[in-house]
């Protein structure tokens, strides 16, 4: 059996993608001298929140995910981020490839809420690999990529914010049910409000909500 190992050597935002996309640079190593004709690689990506520290302001924004900081010993569990696949072309010994990871700014998704709560530093990611490799010096041999292959990645929070800013500059995103959207549209029409932002601000003013506290901008 061919031995395989993986490492993540960097992460960046794809400036030319149609939607928010991260690109992880992978180094893939096979047994010395082994010819790999192709590899179909599957990668599950998880956030490992217990592997970094948090400022008090970050902890407050993470309360809906993990509860109060006093409970984090039992609630700070890994978060599912993405599952993506990649076809790696032929190589011998070692190669590098880009793994594109489409992202969402939907704040109903736990990983997105987690990223949005962070101010700076790095996000600890764990990459879990599986798949199929086609090997052999003469002809093809089909081999599985062992399920225990993994790699770590420290993604700068600045990279996530750069990616989101490319597609949603200076803005956020929220999803509403059809009933809530219809009610909001009716409120906007009755008040003759010029935008959705003005509509939400009017609702906040009617509710007596205090002005939003400042935070680190995107």
């Amino acid at each position: 059996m061919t031995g395989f190992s993986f490492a993540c050597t960097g992460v960046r935002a794809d400036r030319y993608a149609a939607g928010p996309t991260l690109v992880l640079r992978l180094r893939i190593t096979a047994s010395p001298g082994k010819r790999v004709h192709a590899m179909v690689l599957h990668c599950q990506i998880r956030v490992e929140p217990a592997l970094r520290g948090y400022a008090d302001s970050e902890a407050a924004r993470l309360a809906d995910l993990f509860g109060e900081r006093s409970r984090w010993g039992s609630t700070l569990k890994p978060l599912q981020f993405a599952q993506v696949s990649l076809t790696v072309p032929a190589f011998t010994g070692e190669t590098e490839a880009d793994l594109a990871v489409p992202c969402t700014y939907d704040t109903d998704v736990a990983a997105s809420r987690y990223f949005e709560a962070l101010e700076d530093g790095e996000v600890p990611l764990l990459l879990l690999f599986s798949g199929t490799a086609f090997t052999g010096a003469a002809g093809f041999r089909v081999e599985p990529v062992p399920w225990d292959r993994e790699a770590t990645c420290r993604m700068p929070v600045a990279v996530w914010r750069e990616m989101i800013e490319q597609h949603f500059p200076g803005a956020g995103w929220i999803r509403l049910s059809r009933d809530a959207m219809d009610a909001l549209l009716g409120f906007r029409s009755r008040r003759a409000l010029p935008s959705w932002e003005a509509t939400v601000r009017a609702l906040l003013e009617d509710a007596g909500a205090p002005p939003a506290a400042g935070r680190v901008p995107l």
Side-chain angles (χ1 to χ4, degrees), residues 86-214:
L86 171 69
T87 299
V88 181
F91 68 95
T92 300
E94 184 176 281
T95 190
E96 292 196 357
D98 286 337
L99 180 67
V101 183
C103 302
T104 177
Y105 197 30
D106 184 347
T107 51
D108 284 341
V109 176
S112 295
R113 294 210 308 276
Y114 174 82
F115 295 142
E116 179 63 17
L118 304 182
E119 296 175 357
D120 55 21
E122 296 176 328
V123 178
L125 300 176
L126 178 64
L127 284 59
L128 305 171
F129 296 99
S130 62
T132 304
F134 302 90
T135 65
F140 286 90
R141 178 180 177 182
V142 180
E143 300 185 43
V145 176
W147 285 84
D148 62 351
R149 304 296 91 168
E150 61 183 47
T152 58
C153 175
R154 306 288 296 194
M155 180 184 73
V157 172
V159 171
W160 171 267
R161 295 195 174 280
E162 174 192 349
M163 177 191 68
I164 295 301
E165 184 67 14
Q166 289 172 13
H167 297 275
F168 305 101
W173 189 95
I174 187 170
R175 182 175 62 182
L176 299 175
S177 69
R178 179 65 64 186
D179 289 345
M181 193 67 198
D182 288 345
L184 196 61
L185 178 59
F187 179 85
R188 176 178 176 177
S189 297
R190 290 191 299 274
R191 295 287 189 94
L193 296 166
S195 67
W196 288 117
E197 181 170 351
T199 302
V200 173
R201 289 187 181 278
L203 285 169
L204 292 173
E205 289 173 2
D206 287 355

Side-chain angles (χ1 to χ4, degrees), residues 8-134:
C8 181
T9 61
V11 56
R12 59 181 172 82
D14 188 342
R15 293 181 174 273
Y16 306 104
T21 303
L22 293 171
V23 179
L24 278 61
R25 187 67 173 173
L26 300 181
R27 179 182 297 126
I28 305 168
T29 305
S31 300
K34 286 287 187 176
R35 176 68 174 171
V36 178
H37 300 287
M39 177 184 289
V40 179
L41 194 62
H42 307 295
C43 181
Q44 180 183 158
I45 306 175
R46 296 179 185 172
V47 179
E48 298 285 325
L51 299 183
R52 60 157 285 164
Y54 301 90
D56 289 343
S57 55
E58 293 173 326
R61 290 193 290 273
L62 289 169
D64 64 328
L65 284 177
F66 305 120
E68 298 300 321
R69 193 190 283 267
S70 60
R71 300 175 53 211
W72 283 10
S74 59
T75 63
L76 217 60
K77 303 297 185 182
L79 301 174
Q80 180 71 18
F81 177 29
Q83 293 193 61
V84 289
S85 298
L86 171 69
T87 299
V88 181
F91 68 95
T92 300
E94 184 176 281
T95 190
E96 292 196 357
D98 286 337
L99 180 67
V101 183
C103 302
T104 177
Y105 197 30
D106 184 347
T107 51
D108 284 341
V109 176
S112 295
R113 294 210 308 276
Y114 174 82
F115 295 142
E116 179 63 17
L118 304 182
E119 296 175 357
D120 55 21
E122 296 176 328
V123 178
L125 300 176
L126 178 64
L127 284 59
L128 305 171
F129 296 99
S130 62
T132 304
F134 302 90

